[in-house]
């Protein structure tokens, strides 16, 4: 049995089942023992959605996990640390064995990236090479489960990356929404053309329903914020011009993005 670690997985399988016909890859950030990825695979296949490429992104390696404050060696900012550090490489081996065994004869193309989310974003911003009789570079996404680090900055970094690459009609599912300022994230998503599908317990799911000018922006803003120590200590970066939201009177000021707020105070 492939174990899950959270709750409300119904939202995830329903989101997976809802992207039939929406082009793009599916993806899980933070895989642990594989329960979330299995749930996505099952949701896709129960809806008759065959042939997807699904990405599993997780560094394992017993890295400190965000639940308390510490200096991140990669990002150089303050985060919340889980002292357990128990997402070890042995877990990665077992997870790969379990998921690959499960998916071996299923119509899903499972790919593993033993990388942090930020390394993946840097290395695969231009798409992921996929081999099936020929090489194809896939750059669009239909569904993402964001369940890696639970800092506001990490969640916003993921959302910004996938927002720019998500097909219209695609979905994002956020886990552990009680661990970061979900209301700010919700506001950002709704201003950026996303609709809340459902919020229950520890998860929330959103669908991209509107193409916005933000789609054309490079996904750099959250990273540059995370790289700036003064932001991690609570200072906001200089405001940047507001961008009008297509099909709406609302405007969204990039400098007001949720990732810029309260990172050190979590
Ligand atoms: C809460 S568990 C994921 C649970 C899994 N999604 C499920 O539904 O069963 C968090 C995972 O995030 C991974 N992780 C930690 N830092 C990460 C990072 N920077 N990028 C991606 N994954 C990360 C951990 O190794 C761990 O496996």
């Amino acid at each position: 049995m492939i174990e899950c670690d959270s709750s409300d997985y119904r939202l995830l399988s329903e989101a997976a089942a809802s992207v039939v016909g929406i082009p793009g890859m599916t993806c899980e950030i933070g895989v642990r023992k594989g329960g979330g990825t299995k749930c996505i695979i099952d949701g896709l296949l129960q809806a008759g959605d065959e042939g997807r490429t699904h990405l599993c992104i997780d560094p394992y390696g017993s890295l400190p996990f965000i639940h308390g404050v510490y200096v991140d060696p990669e990002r150089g900012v303050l985060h919340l640390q889980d002292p357990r550090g128990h997402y070890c490489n042995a877990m990665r081996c077992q997870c790969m064995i379990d998921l690959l065994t499960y998916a071996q004869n299923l119509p899903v193309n499972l790919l593993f990236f033993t990388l942090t989310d930020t390394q993946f974003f840097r290395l695969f911003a231009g798409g992921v090479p996929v081999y099936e009789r020929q090489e194809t570079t896939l750059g669009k996404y239909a569904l993402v489960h964001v369940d890696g680090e639970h800092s506001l900055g990490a969640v916003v970094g993921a959302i910004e990356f996938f927002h720019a690459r998500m097909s219209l009609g695609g979905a994002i599912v956020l886990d552990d929404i009680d661990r970061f300022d979900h209301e700010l994230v919700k506001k950002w998503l709704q201003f950026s053309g996303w609709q809340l599908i459902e919020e229950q317990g520890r998860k929330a799911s959103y669908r991209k329903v509107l193409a916005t000018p933000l789609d054309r922006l490079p996904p750099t803003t959250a990273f540059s914020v995370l790289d700036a120590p003064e932001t991690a200590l609570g200072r906001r970066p200089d405001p940047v011009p507001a961008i009008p939201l297509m099909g709406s009177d609302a405007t969204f000021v990039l400098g007001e993005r949720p990732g810029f707020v309260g990172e050190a105070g979590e």
Side-chain angles (χ1 to χ4, degrees), residues 10-265:
R10 179 186 55 77
L11 264 73
L12 186 56
S13 44
E14 286 181 3
S18 78
V19 297
V20 182
I22 305 297
M25 299 174 280
T26 57
C27 174
E28 181 170 52
I29 302 250
V31 181
R32 191 176 169 263
K33 295 186 180 178
T37 281
K38 177 181 179 297
C39 185
I40 292 171
I41 294 172
D42 290 347
L44 291 172
L45 298 184
Q46 277 161 20
D49 189 334
E50 300 189 351
R52 291 274 181 190
T53 290
H54 177 84
L55 313 183
C56 296
I57 301 166
D58 196 314
Y60 297 94
S62 301
L63 294 183
F65 192 64
I66 293 186
H67 279 299
V69 177
Y70 82 120
V71 177
D72 184 307
E74 188 177 302
R75 292 169 166 158
V77 299
L78 298 178
H79 283 302
L80 302 168
Q81 182 182 19
D82 176 353
R84 292 171 294 179
H86 59 193
Y87 303 119
C88 60
N89 287 331
M91 179 186 282
R92 169 180 53 102
C93 293
Q94 191 61 53
C95 174
M96 286 184 174
I97 290 166
D98 293 345
L99 280 177
L100 288 171
T101 303
Y102 185 69
Q104 187 176 15
N105 295 311
L106 296 178
V108 61
N109 182 30
L110 205 52
L111 300 179
F112 288 86
F113 296 82
T114 308
L115 295 170
T116 61
D117 47 1
T118 50
Q119 287 291 8
F120 177 86
F121 299 156
R122 286 188 186 110
L123 292 169
F124 296 98
V128 176
V130 174
Y131 304 94
E132 183 62 49
R133 288 185 287 278
Q134 61 179 5
E135 180 175 315
T136 314
T137 300
L138 301 180
K140 294 298 269 184
Y141 292 83
L143 171 72
V144 179
H145 185 209
V146 179
D147 194 12
E149 292 179 341
H150 297 304
S151 72
L152 188 58
V155 172
V156 170
I159 286 174
E160 288 201 320
F161 181 86
F162 291 111
H163 169 68
R165 293 165 177 79
M166 185 65 69
S167 298
L168 212 54
I172 279 186
V173 178
L174 306 176
D175 191 37
D176 290 320
I177 56 174
D178 53 328
R179 306 247 179 101
F180 55 89
D181 192 340
H182 177 235
E183 288 308 312
L184 280 170
V185 171
K186 185 190 293 178
K187 200 169 155 191
W188 189 96
L189 283 165
Q190 289 175 336
F191 268 119
S192 306
W194 293 76
Q195 189 176 61
L196 179 69
I197 305 173
E198 190 175 347
E199 181 178 341
Q200 183 174 7
R202 290 164 72 177
K203 288 200 197 301
S205 53
Y206 293 86
R207 185 172 319 288
K208 187 172 179 180
V209 293
L210 191 66
T212 76
L214 292 176
D215 292 357
R216 294 194 291 273
L217 294 177
T220 53
T221 39
F223 303 141
S224 43
V225 167
L226 286 172
D227 286 345
E230 68 274 19
T231 304
L233 295 170
R235 268 182 45 196
R236 284 169 174 237
D238 293 334
V240 293
I243 293 182
L245 190 69
M246 204 184 285
S248 158
D249 291 338
T251 56
F252 187 74
V253 182
L254 287 180
E256 301 284 335
R257 283 184 179 186
F260 298 163
V261 183
E263 176 74 12

